[in-house]
Amino acid sequence: MKLPDDPKERSQLIVLIGIVGVAAVYGIYMAASSVLMKPQREKQEQIEEITEKLRKANEAVQMMPMSQKNNDNHIAIISEIDSKHILHPRMGKNYLLPAEEFVREQEVVSKSKVISVKEIGISNFPTPDPPKDTGDAHAPKPKPKVYAFKIYTVRVEVAEGLHNMIKLIKQIESANPCISISAMDIAPESETPFEHSMSFDIQWPIWNATKTTEKIMQQLKSPAFRETIKKTTVSKIKKTKPKTTKPAPAVNTVVDAEAQAELKGLGIPTDEN
């Protein structure tokens, strides 16, 4: 390549060639660096991802004792509610037997008079409308809400006046806070207008037969769960164990006898017992 004769043009051309050369070298360097550094960057990203997973795993491991303790407490609470407040069937699917037994027990405690306990039946909790479909074909379809419990209702007919019914209702509500008095009916009798026919409805929560509740019931009935409840109960008893009182210090009888002798010498009466 022949350079221009003009010194100024020659200098400009040389500078331009230098700039192009530097740019070409820089481009080659960057291309080579990209090819050579890409595997290293990918490894670095993998290392950072694995490090983050290990950090979260360590946090989860450190939280396991607390999570296990909270889980045991929650299971114990569920077990207590299930055994005390949830109505369970007998002889297959007979809910009337335990319901009437409960009512008769409260009748005795409240000293009231129950004429009859009749079954109304099982109903579902009112469910809200499912969420509206967004129209997206790939989005999951909205599902209606399913509760873990259903409602079992009986009608109790009482006698001996309104005061008798109020006593029974108060006793029932105090015996089981999970039940509900859903309806009440007071009507005069045609033949005896001064006496009224009185009744009210009681509603219990009962387990709804779903996959979720079946898993819960299996866990509640499992031997491992019973052992967990036993340990949790024992630990609570240990925490609430009353402190033992220290024995009273022994009385120095020799010193006490000398003191009494001195008091007698001074004419002061003493109780030797």
Side-chain angles (χ1 to χ4, degrees):
M1 179 179 179
K2 185 179 179 180
L3 297 175
D5 295 334
D6 188 358
K8 185 177 180 181
E9 293 181 358
R10 186 184 302 115
S11 300
Q12 291 177 350
L13 182 59
I14 291 173
V15 172
L16 180 60
I17 293 173
I19 293 173
V20 173
V22 171
V25 172
Y26 179 77
I28 295 171
Y29 171 77
M30 292 301 296
S33 299
S34 177
V35 173
L36 296 175
M37 296 296 292
K38 184 178 180 180
Q40 185 175 356
R41 285 198 303 270
E42 291 178 351
K43 290 181 180 179
Q44 184 65 28
E45 291 175 357
Q46 291 177 357
I47 291 173
E48 292 177 356
E49 183 180 354
I50 293 172
T51 303
E52 180 65 16
K53 289 182 178 179
L54 289 174
R55 185 187 66 80
K56 291 182 179 180
N58 289 332
E59 291 180 355
V61 170
Q62 293 175 0
M63 291 293 293
M64 282 182 65
M66 183 181 298
S67 299
Q68 182 64 39
K69 182 179 179 180
N70 292 335
N71 184 64
D72 292 345
N73 291 334
H74 293 159
I75 291 176
I77 293 172
I78 292 173
S79 176
E80 184 177 3
I81 293 174
D82 174 70
S83 60
K84 291 184 178 180
H85 305 311
I86 307 301
L87 194 65
H88 294 274
R90 294 182 187 171
M91 300 176 63
K93 295 183 179 181
N94 192 327
Y95 289 95
L96 182 59
L97 289 177
E100 184 171 4
E101 179 180 339
F102 171 81
V103 173
R104 294 298 180 182
E105 289 175 355
Q106 310 318 313
E107 175 190 12
V108 174
V109 174
S110 63
K111 298 179 181 179
S112 55
K113 178 65 175 178
V114 174
I115 299 175
S116 64
V117 180
K118 298 179 181 179
E119 183 177 65
I120 300 299
I122 298 173
S123 58
N124 294 318
F125 279 94
T127 56
D129 295 333
K132 295 181 179 180
D133 192 355
T134 58
D136 187 359
H138 300 287
K141 294 183 178 180
K143 296 181 180 180
K145 186 176 180 61
V146 178
Y147 291 98
F149 296 98
K150 287 187 175 183
I151 303 171
Y152 178 75
T153 308
V154 298
R155 180 158 297 162
V156 179
E157 186 179 359
V158 296
E160 297 183 357
L162 180 62
H163 181 67
N164 174 67
M165 184 172 68
I166 294 174
K167 287 195 304 179
L168 180 60
I169 290 176
K170 286 184 176 180
Q171 175 58 35
I172 288 173
E173 290 179 336
S174 63
N176 188 344
C178 291
I179 67 174
S180 173
I181 306 300
S182 61
M184 189 180 300
D185 182 53
I186 302 175
E189 296 285 352
S190 58
E191 297 180 357
T192 55
F194 293 100
E195 295 181 4
H196 293 74
S197 172
M198 296 178 295
S199 64
F200 60 92
D201 294 350
I202 308 177
Q203 293 183 332
W204 277 268
I206 61 174
W207 287 104
N208 186 12
T210 63
K211 292 182 179 180
T212 303
T213 56
E214 287 178 359
K215 290 181 180 179
I216 294 175
M217 297 307 296
Q218 289 175 0
Q219 185 177 6
L220 293 177
K221 295 177 181 179
S222 66
F225 164 75
R226 294 298 175 188
E227 187 65 24
T228 301
I229 293 300
K230 183 178 179 182
K231 291 180 180 179
T232 304
T233 306
V234 170
S235 64
K236 288 183 178 180
I237 293 174
K238 288 183 178 179
K239 289 182 180 179
T240 58
K241 185 178 180 181
K243 295 181 180 179
T244 56
T245 56
K246 294 182 179 180
V251 179
N252 192 338
T253 57
V254 176
V255 176
D256 187 57
E258 293 178 355
Q260 287 184 0
E262 291 180 1
L263 292 173
K264 284 183 178 181
L266 295 173
I268 300 173
T270 59
D271 186 5
E272 297 181 355
N273 295 328

